[in-house]
DNA sequence: GCAAAAGTGTTCAATGTACACCCATGC
DNA sequence: GCATGGGTGTACATTGAACACTTTTGC
């Protein structure tokens, strides 16, 4: 009975969302080897024997984006025996939301990968393994989370306008929202800090900048991210 | 890098809730061997090389309870390198809700287990591994699910009274609910079928029996259990 | 007739939704 | 002065929460 388990392999894959060019995008890597050589996949890797699964996911996030201290949530563990064509690989998937500016995509020259790139979520190339399913499920979960917690702030710069925040919501949810209701809700929620700064307008009325109120956010962390 | 993964072991553990003697209980097994010999644990086992994780969890559920076709949901994957004292064991935890009547608890004489028993959730013995944490998290998720889907019906017989349904909710949520509001909500929801049958009262007013409307439930399955 | 559980409605507060116009700026 | 995106409030419907008494039965 124990013998059987020896050939399991356990990986973690991380779905990393961002907003770039007014589009919701996901980070993909191009595979250097078979199986699925030359196909796009979400970044992932083996879980090391003495690291937690969370740590493995964070490590992979950092390897590709140099980003740390991010909202990273365990999504689901995918274990169909046929999901990997060669061997039994169980993967514990995570998802994360990050800002794409001031990020330098990178990868070691370990010959596992030949490219790293952002791809529009709503227009993905053909993906390796069951990664399409994993991304779809991530999006679904992100939408569910968004109804309760303001995780969209991970996608925005420290100072942002309400319109930018609304755009982020609309991109994730895939639908238009009512401007007045949106603003009313956030201004009532006390998680935003109204700044006395405005965008230097490029040919239109300057917009007020807001930031997330770290104190309120931390105090509600258990509530939001439980 | 690949070599490292060879010593991972992957199991699934299943938290099985039921209601017995007006208490919310969870199924525990007593371990026959070290580590944690003689300690109570939630039932679990290795995932076979060619079965899905879902199938493994269902198999374990069936081995202990002979129950199939049940609401079984993947909970979370626990992978702290120190959660097992001897080796690296990653476990993919599931939870399920079942009725305890007409269930015969059982276990193979494979000498892994010396006992199988229901234990009150709110009064657990000391548990092996991180199983206390897993049960607590299961309860939390069950509560969250309960706010959206009527999963409590898994705990009840086919025909039940509104009071029994309410009791099930109260036991899971750990708090009293308002009778009138509770009934109003369910009678408005159209997921209950009102039967022309009543409990044969034991010294009190007979109560109307209801059953879950399978058709409505199935049509809302995607909605509830998405 | 009394103990025990079944059954029943109204009011109020909070929340979500629909909806249209004026404002400040750059050109 | 006009085009562009920024900013604002009201009315309505839905939902959840609080709350107390009458009914039916077995004994």
């Amino acid at each position: 009975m124990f013998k059987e388990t020896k050939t399991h392999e356990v990986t973690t894959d991380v779905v990393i969302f961002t907003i770039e060019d007014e589009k919701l995008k996901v980070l993909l890597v191009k595979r250097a080897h078979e199986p699925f050589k030359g196909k796009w996949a979400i970044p992932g890797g083996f879980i090391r024997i003495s690291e937690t699964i969370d740590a493995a996911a964070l490590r992979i996030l950092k390897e590709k984006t140099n980003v740390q201290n991010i909202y990273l949530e365990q999504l689901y563990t995918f274990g169909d025996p046929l999901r990997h064509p060669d061997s039994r690989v169980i993967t514990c998937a995570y998802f994360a939301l990050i800002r794409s500016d001031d990020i330098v995509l990178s990868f070691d020259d370990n010959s596992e990968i030949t490219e790293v790139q952002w791809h529009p979520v709503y227009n993905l190339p053909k993906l390796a393994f069951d990664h399409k399913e994993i991304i779809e499920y991530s999006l679904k979960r992100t939408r569910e989370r968004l109804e309760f917690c303001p995780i969209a702030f991970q996608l925005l710069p420290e100072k942002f306008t309400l319109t930018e925040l609304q755009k982020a919501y609309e991109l994730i949810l895939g639908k238009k929202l009512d401007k007045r209701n949106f603003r009313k809700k956030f201004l009532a929620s006390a998680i935003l800090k109204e700044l006395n700064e405005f965008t230097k307008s490029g040919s239109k009325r300057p917009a007020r900048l807001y930031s997330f109120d770290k104190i309120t956010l931390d105090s509600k962390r258990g509530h939001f991210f439980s």
Side-chain angles (χ1 to χ4, degrees), chain A residues 44-59:
Chain A
F46 290 94
I47 298 169
R48 294 182 181 157
I49 200 71
S50 57
E51 78 186 339
T52 63
I53 311 180
D54 285 9
L58 281 167
R59 176 171 54 79

Side-chain angles (χ1 to χ4, degrees), chain A residues 5 31 37 39 46 53 89 120-121 129 164 167 202 208:
Chain A
T5 68
R31 292 176 59 83
K37 178 176 176 177
K39 286 279 186 301
F46 290 94
I53 311 180
V89 181
V121 167
F129 307 108
E164 286 167 344
K167 280 268 163 60
R208 183 181 288 277

Side-chain angles (χ1 to χ4, degrees), chain A residues 7-22:
Chain A
T7 47
H8 283 287
E9 286 166 6
V10 189
T11 61
T12 179
D13 290 313
V14 187
V15 178
I16 306 167
F17 292 111
T18 200
I19 291 176
E20 193 187 54
D21 301 332
E22 311 242 307

